[in-house]
Amino acid sequence: MSANDAPMTHRRWFVTGTDTGVGKTLASSAMLSLLAASGLRAVGMKPVAAGLELVDGAWCNEDVEHLRAAGNVDVPLALRCPYLLRAPMSPHLAAREEGVSIELQPLLSAFASLSQRADAVVVEGVGGFCVPFGDDLDSADLAVALGLPVILVVGLRLGCLNHALLTAEAIRARGLVVAGWIASVIEPGMLSPEANLQTLRGRLGAPLLGIVPHLAEPSAASAAAHLDLRALRATAAHAARQRSAALA
């Protein structure tokens, strides 16, 4: 993808997955790597992250750090990840343990600040599409509030067809656009992977942006070599038309 390719109306996306551990962070980092390499100011956002490790005396979340490294805009951690929680569990449970209430407005404010500082923003969700943040807020609510086109990362393993189709249905049921999907090979020994991919191509109703293979040493750059973001131009324009119609 080149910065001179036909420009996308809005270079902001929400990345979700068919489950936790399906390669969302690798896919999001690969997108950021491509966007930054094209000359854009690109930044990643992980609105809520659960699971910290002590590295050189500081508490860090691996996903948040990967997104930071893949982008090229220096912004405060509080904007890149407004809610950083210690326990590696569902965000609503991790927040409850710490006496924290995850609120929507700080997430929207952080996203707005990032949008002012960067040409492209990739927002990586938590786990699957409907992961709870609290009693009356979940990841799907955030996606709706942001109003961004959604990119679905499908972990290729037994059960992926049902998970992918249900997730796409849930996204569209909330009035959001599935801008594209990325296949992530998480079980190299999966039976009939090509047949599964063909089924998803026929049923998801969105462009396949790439197939990220099982990488011995996964990195944003190595995964980026397997993605093509050019199809996002059409879905970005479609999403913009939907937003305009909703506001009319």
Side-chain angles (χ1 to χ4, degrees):
M1 187 186 73
S2 156
N4 296 321
D5 286 339
M8 300 172 198
T9 308
H10 292 278
R11 298 183 181 93
R12 283 95 173 94
W13 299 276
F14 186 90
V15 179
T16 192
T18 48
D19 200 352
T20 191
V22 296
K24 288 191 312 300
T25 301
L26 183 59
S28 299
S29 298
M31 289 180 62
L32 287 166
S33 178
L34 284 173
L35 293 162
S38 76
L40 297 172
R41 295 173 300 158
V43 68
M45 179 185 183
K46 182 87 172 178
V48 180
L52 301 182
E53 293 180 340
L54 192 60
V55 179
D56 297 328
W59 290 101
C60 300
N61 176 270
E62 186 177 26
D63 292 353
V64 173
E65 290 306 305
H66 282 311
L67 295 177
R68 178 196 60 76
N72 60 358
V73 180
D74 186 18
V75 295
L77 175 61
L79 295 181
R80 292 185 287 109
C81 184
Y83 290 98
L84 200 56
L85 306 167
R86 291 193 185 92
M89 60 175 68
S90 177
H92 75 298
L93 299 178
R96 185 183 301 167
E97 277 201 357
E98 296 183 33
V100 172
S101 176
I102 299 175
E103 305 290 343
L104 181 60
Q105 192 53 52
L107 301 177
L108 299 181
S109 296
F111 173 76
S113 294
L114 292 178
S115 294
Q116 292 174 349
R117 299 172 186 227
D119 304 311
V121 183
V122 177
V123 182
E124 184 198 339
V126 185
F129 185 60
C130 296
V131 168
F133 289 165
D135 292 338
D136 56 0
L137 181 68
D138 63 21
S139 180
D141 294 327
L142 173 60
V144 170
L146 292 172
L148 302 178
V150 180
I151 294 173
L152 175 60
V153 179
V154 178
L156 292 185
R157 63 185 176 202
L158 185 63
C160 68
L161 301 181
N162 183 58
H163 292 161
L165 296 174
L166 282 176
T167 303
E169 183 177 301
I171 293 167
R172 292 183 174 121
R174 287 163 174 80
L176 299 173
V177 173
V178 180
W181 61 286
I182 296 170
S184 173
V185 180
I186 56 175
E187 288 188 3
M190 177 187 183
L191 297 177
S192 301
E194 286 301 326
N196 279 269
L197 283 168
Q198 190 60 33
T199 300
L200 290 169
R201 282 190 182 100
R203 290 175 176 264
L204 274 179
L208 174 61
L209 306 177
I211 303 169
V212 179
H214 185 74
L215 300 168
E217 296 183 6
S219 69
S222 60
H226 301 278
L227 298 186
D228 184 347
L229 304 184
R230 288 175 293 184
L232 291 176
R233 294 185 304 224
T235 51
H238 177 54
R241 288 194 296 269
Q242 279 203 336
R243 281 193 297 271
S244 297
L247 294 173

